[in-house]
Amino acid sequence: MQQRILAFIGAGNMSRSIIAGLIQAGYPAERIIAANPSRPKLDALANDYGIRITQHNAEAAREADVIVLAVKPQLMAGMLSTLVDELGSLAGKLLISIAAGIKVARLGEMAGGHARIIRTMPNTPSLLGLGMTGLYAPPGVEQADRDFAEQMMQAVGKTLWVAQESGINGVIAAAGSAPAYFFLFMQAIAEEAQAMGFSPEQARLLVQQTALGAAAMVEQNPDLSLQTLREQVTSKGGTTAEAIKTFQTQGLMPLTAHAMQAAVERAAEMETLF
């Protein structure tokens, strides 16, 4: 992996996860700087990973080759405006955004007309190194910058490039928001298991181990479609077949499609807020 000087503006959970993944992959700690207004998160990063820290964004950004924008979306405009004022320009620096809801063009405006920007959309399993990140770069961004952003996000999981920026909203629907879909389904199974007489602890064990095993079967059988995997555990006339029939007659597939489209529509609405 290219070893550029990397500055994280914001020291929240996602920044910590990416830093941890990079260090574990052998990235030099001295080439990573984290900036944050308060000390506790910075001190924890310095103690745990040996990186450099500062409470001043401009100090971190000034010597960085790559700046990771990891502040809340509502704080982004003010942060970038101040950064441009203090540095004069962000010329020569790659900006990688992990903030939701802000398009590349808008980030460019916030950054004083800067164009060297890559937008990413990681999901929460990135905190465990099991993330799924969508990436988008406008046509003018060089391949070396694309490669760096991809390798950085691969430190916390898998990556997928989208050709059009609107595809990021599809990533949100299929991966960014999707852990919550699975949690909801797991909650429904666990609650019904409790209604059948299992304790909460037993119900959770049944659900989490089954979900873990099902995900592993998908990962370890890449040549089999999801439909085939389902059919392999659905004996004709058996218990699973009866449950699947109920899901299908109650409209699980169209309901899921409707929910995902709702997520896409909301993501598009959020892009107009900043």
Side-chain angles (χ1 to χ4, degrees), residues 186 189-190 193-194 196 198-213:
M186 292 168 72
I189 298 172
Q194 290 181 58
M196 293 175 177
F198 293 101
S199 70
E201 295 76 17
Q202 290 172 327
R204 182 175 177 123
L205 176 63
L206 288 167
V207 172
Q208 70 183 35
Q209 186 62 23
T210 302
L212 182 65

Side-chain angles (χ1 to χ4, degrees), residues 19 59 122 137 157 180 205 220 233 244 250 266:
I19 291 167
E59 181 181 340
L205 176 63
Q220 293 176 27
V233 295
I244 294 297
Q250 293 294 318
R266 179 55 181 158

Side-chain angles (χ1 to χ4, degrees), residues 7-21:
F8 287 80
I9 308 300
N13 288 335
M14 195 59 70
S15 290
R16 181 181 177 85
S17 298
I18 297 170
I19 291 167

Side-chain angles (χ1 to χ4, degrees), residues 104-167:
V104 165
R106 179 62 181 132
L107 286 167
E109 292 174 0
M110 294 175 179
H114 195 74
R116 196 177 164 197
I117 300 172
I118 293 176
R119 183 180 173 193
T120 76
M121 185 65 244
N123 65 4
T124 53
S126 298
L127 304 178
L128 303 176
L130 296 170
M132 183 67 237
T133 299
L135 301 99
Y136 168 76
V141 174
E142 296 181 357
Q143 188 61 46
D145 287 343
R146 294 169 185 261
D147 291 345
F148 182 87
E150 180 175 39
Q151 291 163 3
M152 185 185 81
M153 298 313 299
Q154 284 175 345
V156 292
K158 306 291 186 181
T159 56
L160 175 71
W161 285 95
V162 296
Q164 304 296 327
E165 189 168 12
S166 59

